[in-house]
Amino acid sequence: MKFNPDGQLYKLTTVTTQFIFLNLLYILSCLPIITIGVATSALFEVLLRYADNERGNLIRDYFQAIKSNWKQATAAFAVLSVPIALLIYSSSFWFGGGTILTSIIGVVSAILAAYFFVVLALSLSLIGRYKNSLKQTLKNAFLLPVADPVRSLGVLLIPVVLFCLMVLFPGFRLFLPLFGFVLICYCSAFLLLSIFKRWN
């Protein structure tokens, strides 16, 4: 059988291999915790390009994106991860109260945590996609969920659905270290591109 480097099977195998390596690189890049922001921003950058038909070498471009995004992405992650953590803690605390009032406060805290999570995802993807000041990037990230709530909600629901699948189907957890994070960002990239193109 003649090997065809332009064949669909070869392209599919190449992309699958790159996605697996990219997912592993992302996990390793996140291990110091403080680097989660820059790693996620770099992952968004290369996958936004790929989703927008801007082909390249995913692995090489990922390292280049880390180098160019680390200052703003680390700052954005530091600024936004603190209120997310506090709101999640607040939500769990108030839900433990067992009354209607505390439950309402818990729901409000959970909604705010979800909003800040979307803002964080938007911030990191904006850093990877555009060249702006950190102040302008955060301003845009806070306004976009209000301007485009439906697709912004989709950015939140994609990782939530994957988490639910892992809870309901334990065998699905094997999928996370192989493709999980890349698949989340890749699916989110199409929503993000549609948001950016609408409001650009």
Side-chain angles (χ1 to χ4, degrees):
M1 184 175 70
K2 187 177 179 180
F3 175 72
N4 182 10
D6 295 322
Q8 292 299 318
L9 179 61
Y10 174 78
K11 291 179 180 179
L12 179 62
T13 304
T14 302
V15 171
T16 301
T17 303
Q18 286 193 20
F19 271 28
I20 291 174
F21 274 111
L22 187 60
N23 198 72
L24 178 60
L25 276 175
Y26 174 74
I27 293 172
L28 293 174
S29 301
C30 289
L31 289 180
I33 305 300
I34 191 63
T35 56
I36 291 176
V38 64
T40 305
S41 179
L43 188 62
F44 271 129
E45 179 172 335
V46 296
L47 292 176
L48 282 166
R49 289 180 189 170
Y50 194 83
D52 202 26
N53 293 316
E54 299 176 26
R55 296 295 185 259
N57 186 295
L58 293 173
I59 307 303
R60 183 188 65 237
D61 293 347
Y62 178 76
F63 285 113
Q64 291 176 349
I66 285 180
K67 185 178 179 180
S68 60
N69 297 344
W70 73 270
K71 285 185 180 180
Q72 282 199 352
T74 301
F77 179 74
V79 168
L80 295 171
S81 61
V82 172
I84 292 173
L86 291 175
L87 285 166
I88 291 174
Y89 173 79
S90 174
S91 178
S92 61
F93 173 81
W94 288 109
F95 274 125
T99 67
I100 296 177
L101 179 60
T102 57
S103 296
I104 291 173
I105 298 174
V107 169
V108 171
S109 297
I111 292 173
L112 287 174
Y115 172 73
F116 271 90
F117 177 83
V118 173
V119 170
L120 176 60
L122 287 168
S123 297
L124 297 176
S125 58
L126 284 168
I127 289 169
R129 190 68 175 173
Y130 302 103
K131 300 301 178 185
N132 279 318
S133 67
L134 179 61
K135 180 179 179 181
Q136 185 62 49
T137 297
L138 290 174
K139 179 181 178 181
N140 292 340
F142 273 100
L143 292 176
L144 282 174
V146 179
D148 203 332
V150 175
R151 279 177 282 200
S152 298
L153 181 61
V155 174
L156 172 67
L157 290 179
I158 289 171
V160 170
V161 169
L162 180 61
F163 175 78
C164 291
L165 287 173
M166 289 192 299
V167 172
L168 294 174
F169 306 102
F172 199 79
R173 296 171 191 171
L174 298 174
F175 180 77
L176 192 63
L178 284 178
F179 294 104
F181 296 108
V182 168
L183 183 63
I184 288 172
C185 289
Y186 185 55
C187 293
S188 300
F190 292 97
L191 284 173
L192 292 167
L193 285 171
S194 64
I195 294 172
F196 296 161
K197 289 177 179 178
R198 181 182 179 187
W199 299 103
N200 192 5

